[in-house]
Amino acid sequence: DAKTTQPTSMDCAEGRAANLPCNHSTISGNEYVYWYRQIHSQGPQYIIHGLKNNETNEMASLIITEDRKSSTLILPHATLRDTAVYYCIADNYGQNFVFGPGTRLSVLP
Amino acid sequence: DSGVTQTPKHLITATGQRVTLRCSPRSGDLSVYWYQQSLDQGLQFLIQYYNGEERAKGNILERFSAQQFPDLHSELNLSSLELGDSALYFCASSVEAADTGELFFGEGSRLTVL
């Protein structure tokens, strides 16, 4: 599995877009980029995933660079309930995800 | 609500004891995964089962074992418990063994070993 690196923590003002970066410079061609989040001690929640095209769903957008070495998760209008630890994972078909320390996002009022 | 049910939610036991954690996957999901989350280790993959068969193994100790039953529920057995086994244990499920990678996690079982 490709290793990912993320900032330890980030702050975002409520109502503004939260842009969470992820570096996965050693990602291989068949590995997807997945994003999960964990609110407090709840079970992780799937957000979005992509291979090389940008993706959007009701929760977020995923922007993957053309060389696939990095990506950005965008929460377009962050709310207080988006405060969580966000995990970026590079994996092929999700057989046994390796969760790193993630980014602790704090949405501030 | 992810549709994955874990019991018990909380468990307190003593060192040397044995406990069993139970997981019911979402209806129709054939794959079950177990993860351990302790304060100093983050989320660690333990083991995966697919339709009753072990599919992948991670950092699972020999004192731990798991199985998936014909009705697809799974149990994680932890024996000879040590203080360091105190953690949140999460179960997740997915439809196939290798699909889109969308795992559905339960709310976890919090184990405290005293």
Side-chain angles (χ1 to χ4, degrees), chain A residues 34 36 38 43-44 95-97, chain B residues 33 35 37 45 48 100-101 103:
Chain A
Y34 299 89
Y36 279 75
Q38 188 175 23
Q95 289 214 0
N96 47 6
F97 282 146
Chain B
Y33 307 73
Y35 282 82
Q37 186 172 36
F45 168 72
Q48 178 202 358
T100 62
L103 302 185

Side-chain angles (χ1 to χ4, degrees), chain B residues 27-76:
Chain B
S27 176
D29 283 1
L30 300 176
S31 226
V32 169
Y33 307 73
W34 285 98
Y35 282 82
Q36 178 193 54
Q37 186 172 36
S38 53
L39 280 175
D40 57 348
Q41 293 289 325
L43 268 162
Q44 300 281 316
F45 168 72
L46 296 178
I47 198 164
Q48 178 202 358
Y49 279 83
Y50 174 71
N51 204 19
E53 300 292 325
E54 183 183 304
R55 188 67 176 231
K57 215 167 191 175
N59 301 319
I60 188 165
L61 300 172
E62 285 192 11
R63 300 183 285 109
F64 296 179
S65 65
Q67 55 184 323
Q68 185 179 28
F69 295 87
D71 67 354
L72 300 177
H73 91 271
S74 177
E75 292 181 355
L76 178 67

Side-chain angles (χ1 to χ4, degrees), chain A residues 12-42:
Chain A
C12 175
E14 188 178 18
R16 304 298 294 270
N19 297 288
L20 293 93
C22 178
N23 192 300
H24 32 79
S25 57
T26 59
I27 195 169
S28 60
N30 63 347
E31 287 182 320
Y32 288 75
V33 178
Y34 299 89
W35 283 84
Y36 279 75
R37 73 180 182 183
Q38 188 175 23
I39 297 173
H40 195 43
S41 293
Q42 297 177 21

